């Protein structure tokens, strides 16, 4: 569904009328987005607004201040042009949902839509009319702190969820009171920051750029995203915020985007730091001509565009183009007619109304990684004593995860809260942190933790990463459990008591120690406000785990990047060719081992693949079948399989569809996700899972960057994880 902005003639007419009336200073003013959040209406900010030298304010969320600043803009500036009020509303505003990586683990389009819709309602009520989300970077390097904000590694999954988040934020009509403008970011390739170190250089081949990194942005544009944010990153020598090829030829030309492009925070003034320019004036010129309409937080446009115009180094046409995109967004938001949020909300918004949606998302986001001897679910009510251990068991703020500027931790229900409320009367619940925080190497709390474990029938460990350890600029070179948590797990396991481990983190972690010692492991990302009820309901079996990994988990950090849709290479490893470092014979001849693509000490497969997630029931996929052995362009191929719940309780499975194009004019990935759906099954029930494929689903950018599908042999799989072996073959015929 293309929900591209309908910039109809009334808006076009208004914009032209304003451009004709505006002075150059007022035009340049519209291109500035400055931080707010200061004391109410600081005189400098108010003066700028009165003089028409501001287009928008970010991070001003105190409603009364927002109202007053907007009143000044509308009533006391010469042309009364309203302001944009921007904020990072990433996975909730007051009510916090799982971090985006956790939302992606739901593999549920509706949940992502609901998160964005809820966030929009709460943020709009506070006067926010523009959010800097969805973040659509490809998350294939868990060392990168911002992987927490991604929808994972897979372009198809990210694209599907991008559409939902854009539509959730923007509603059916951007001018509705509960709609806020979305901003797809960070265009483009930021996820490929070298060595997973934030803000680092990116070098992405054009074919990979088009076949991987651009796909989610194309989806967001098709969904009608109103704005786009440029990334900080150097892209093959030309930082994106000054990259005309990317911002004009690709974004506006190839992808057809016609909304507003805003820089990232000071990313224009940082062009001198990159060493692309020698002055702010050159930075302003590079960015303006590249296609950045609005400057966030730095002032190179304000201070230099007039001079550049005078020097003839940019034109009034350039400036009018930029201003037009800002004014058009404001008009689409209905700000000229209804500048004040407070006068449009029929009733106050209570975040508590939204906790049920946050709970559902949290439940569906949690991934069961291990369940030895069906240790879970546990009837906690029948226990005599329960030990709750770990630094993440009772952390109302930490469980919210990164990018929760406005998250209300007073709304948080922690796992310890919930356990004590539910079972405190009948079960002896003892709690020990074990370590002061997730980073700490202080083991002085181990003894107490071991003591309560010894006195209990079950130990539930809540470990992982505090919120600050992921998100922007928060990278880790070693992605094992931080601090001495691994040692804590080992000490608790030595008690011989059953151990259930719950991991809250903002990235995939290397979990070998935990997996070796815990009987069951639930990976919960950062689950948000309703972490407690969601996790306790999963532990007790009230809810059955259904989350699936949206990102591959490596066995060792050294394997990174490791992801599903990789190329076959000319020497793929197999179980036959792989040799473990311990099995190499002394004096082995140089070419006697190896010769294919693996690590001696880590093999060639991940700890857990894309799409992996266990349940409390066994699901069985069988009998894959195709509507035809051949697909003609323009026709539809149906792929079906039978899915059975072999368990004793109702449960949900995420059926996934993967394809492989065996031969292409450019090499193609060994497996690509091209479909998924959640299926609910009663005990013993069998359902037919059906997907459809057309030649468009098989298309890719070829050597000449033309989007084509090529005839030939394809493999197709259905399963509950990307390592499914349930496969069929078909042939795509020529046009
Ligand atoms: C930050 C982030 C960007 C965010 C912006 C405004 O540096 O890179 O994602 O939207 O600044 O907070």
């Amino acid at each position: 569904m293309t929900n591209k902005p309908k910039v109809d003639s009334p808006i076009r007419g208004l914009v032209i009328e304003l451009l004709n009336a505006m002075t150059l200073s007022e035009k340049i003013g519209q291109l500035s987005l400055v931080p707010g959040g200061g004391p109410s209406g600081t005189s400098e900010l108010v003066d700028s607004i009165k003089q028409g030298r501001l287009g928008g304010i970010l991070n001003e969320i105190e409603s009364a201040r927002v109202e007053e600043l907007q009143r000044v803009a509308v009533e006391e500036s010469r042309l009364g042009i309203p302001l944009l009020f921007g904020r990072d509303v990433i996975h909730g505003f007051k009510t916090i949902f799982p971090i985006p990586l956790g939302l992606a683990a739901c593999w549920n389009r509706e949940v992502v839509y609901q998160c964005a819709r809820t966030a929009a309602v709460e943020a709009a009520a506070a006067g926010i009319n523009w959010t800097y989300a969805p973040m659509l970077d490809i998350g294939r390097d868990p060392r990168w702190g911002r992987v927490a904000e991604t929808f994972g590694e897979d372009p198809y999954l990210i694209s599907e969820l991008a559409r939902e988040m854009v539509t959730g934020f923007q509603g059916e009509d951007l001018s509705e009171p509960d709609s806020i403008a979305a901003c797809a970011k960070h265009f483009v390739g930021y996820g490929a920051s070298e060595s997973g170190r934030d803000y680092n250089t990116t070098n992405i081949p054009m074919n990979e750029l088009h076949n991987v990194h651009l796909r989610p942005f194309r989806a967001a544009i098709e969904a009608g995203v109103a704005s786009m944010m440029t990334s900080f990153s150097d892209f093959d020598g030309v930082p994106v915020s000054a990259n005309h090829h990317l911002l004009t030829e690709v974004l506006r030309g190839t992808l057809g985007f016609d909304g507003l492009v805003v820089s990232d925070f000071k990313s224009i003034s940082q062009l001198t730091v990159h060493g692309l320019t020698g002055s702010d004036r050159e930075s302003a010129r590079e960015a303006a001509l590249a296609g950045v309409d609005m400057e966030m937080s730095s002032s190179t446009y304000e201070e230099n565009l007039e001079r550049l115009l005078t020097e003839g180094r940019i034109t009034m046409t350039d400036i009018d183009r930029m201003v037009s995109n800002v004014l058009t967004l404001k008009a689409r938001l209905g700000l000229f007619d209804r500048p004040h949020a407070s006068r449009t909300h029929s009733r106050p918004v209570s975040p508590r109304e939204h906790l049920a949606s946050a709970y559902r998302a949290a439940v569906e986001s949690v991934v069961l990684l291990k369940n030895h001897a069906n240790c879970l679910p546990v009837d906690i009510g029948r226990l005599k004593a329960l030990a709750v251990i770990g630094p993440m068991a009772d952390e109302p703020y930490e469980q919210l995860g990164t990018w929760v500027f406005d998250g209300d931790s007073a709304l948080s229900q922690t796992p310890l809260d919930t356990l004590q409320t539910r079972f405190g009367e009948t079960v002896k619940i003892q709690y020990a942190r074990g370590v002061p925080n997730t980073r700490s190497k202080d083991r002085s709390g181990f003894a107490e933790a071991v003591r309560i474990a010894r006195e209990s029938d079950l130990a539930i460990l809540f470990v992982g990463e505090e919120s600050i350890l992921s998100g922007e600029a928060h990278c880790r070179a070693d992605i094992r459990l931080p601090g001495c948590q691994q040692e804590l797990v080992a000490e608790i396991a030595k008690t011989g008591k059953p151990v259930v481990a719950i991991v809250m983190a903002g990235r995939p972690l290397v979990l070998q120690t935990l997996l070796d010692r815990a009987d069951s492991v639930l990976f919960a990302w950062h689950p948000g406000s309703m972490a407690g009820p969601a996790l306790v309901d999963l532990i007790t079996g009230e809810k059955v785990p259904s989350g699936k990994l949206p990102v591959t988990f490596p066995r060792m950090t050294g394997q990174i990047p490791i992801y599903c849709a990789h190329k076959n290479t000319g020497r793929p490893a197999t179980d036959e060719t792989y040799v473990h470092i311990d099995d190499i014979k002394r004096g082995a001849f140089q070419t006697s081992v190896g010769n294919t693509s693996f690590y001696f000490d880590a093999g060639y497969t991940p700890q857990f693949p894309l799409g992996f997630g266990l349940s409390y029931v066994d699901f069985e996929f069988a009998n894959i079948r195709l509507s035809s052995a051949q697909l003609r362009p323009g026709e539809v191929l149906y792929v079906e399989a039978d899915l059975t719940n072999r368990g004793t309780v109702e449960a949900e499975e995420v059926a996934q569809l993967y394809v492989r194009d065996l031969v292409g004019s450019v090499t193609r990935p060994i497996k690509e996700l091209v479909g998924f759906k959640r299926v609910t099954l009663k005990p013993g029930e069998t359902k037919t899972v059906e997907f459809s494929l057309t030649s468009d689903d098989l298309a890719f950018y070829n050597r000449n960057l033309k989007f084509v599908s090529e005839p030939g042999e394809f493999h197709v799989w259905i399963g509950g994880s990307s390592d499914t072996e349930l496969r069929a073959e078909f042939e795509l015929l020529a046009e």
Side-chain angles (χ1 to χ4, degrees), residues 47-65:
D47 289 347
S48 298
I49 295 169
K50 284 180 181 172
Q51 294 159 26
R53 291 194 291 111
L54 265 199
I57 297 175
L58 83 151
N59 296 335
E60 180 57 79
I61 50 106
E62 210 277 276
S63 302
R65 274 210 295 271

Side-chain angles (χ1 to χ4, degrees), residues 323-336:
V323 177
S324 168
N325 287 330
V326 176
L327 297 176
T328 299
L329 176 57
K330 293 181 178 184
R332 290 186 60 216
L333 279 164
L335 295 182
F336 288 94

Side-chain angles (χ1 to χ4, degrees), residues 239-255:
V240 175
S241 298
N243 196 308
H244 182 271
H245 171 69
L246 293 176
L247 295 181
T248 297
E249 293 165 38
V250 174
L251 178 57
R252 297 206 187 265
T254 308
L255 299 186

Side-chain angles (χ1 to χ4, degrees), residues 230-232 241 263-271 296 298:
T230 64
S231 85
F232 288 119
S241 298
S263 78
D264 201 338
F265 202 96
K266 299 188 177 177
S267 66
I268 295 177
S269 60
Q270 287 163 9
L271 294 174
M296 181 190 284
S298 46

Side-chain angles (χ1 to χ4, degrees), residues 280-358:
D280 279 351
R281 180 159 305 147
E282 290 314 303
S283 298
R285 180 172 183 275
E286 288 276 2
L289 296 183
V292 184
D293 299 318
M294 201 170 198
E295 178 171 18
M296 181 190 284
S297 289
S298 46
S299 52
T300 69
Y301 280 6
E302 180 189 0
E303 293 165 6
N304 295 286
L305 287 185
E306 181 165 359
R307 176 75 180 272
L308 288 164
L309 183 69
T310 310
E311 294 170 352
R313 304 183 64 222
I314 59 169
T315 68
M316 186 59 84
T317 304
D318 295 318
I319 291 177
D320 284 352
R321 165 179 49 78
M322 298 155 74
V323 177
S324 168
N325 287 330
V326 176
L327 297 176
T328 299
L329 176 57
K330 293 181 178 184
R332 290 186 60 216
L333 279 164
L335 295 182
F336 288 94
D337 305 322
R338 192 180 30 73
H340 296 293
S342 60
R343 295 174 200 163
T344 57
H345 272 73
S346 50
R347 59 184 177 77
V349 170
S350 159
R352 288 196 183 283
E353 290 173 17
H354 301 138
L355 291 176
S357 301

Side-chain angles (χ1 to χ4, degrees), residues 98 101-109 111-112 360-366 525 546-548 550 654 676 678:
L101 199 52
L103 289 172
C106 299
W107 292 59
N108 189 333
R109 297 170 178 86
V111 160
V112 172
R360 178 199 175 181
V363 165
E364 295 192 11
S365 70
V366 178
W525 318 98
S546 59
K548 299 285 184 178
V654 177
F676 66 90
R678 273 183 168 256

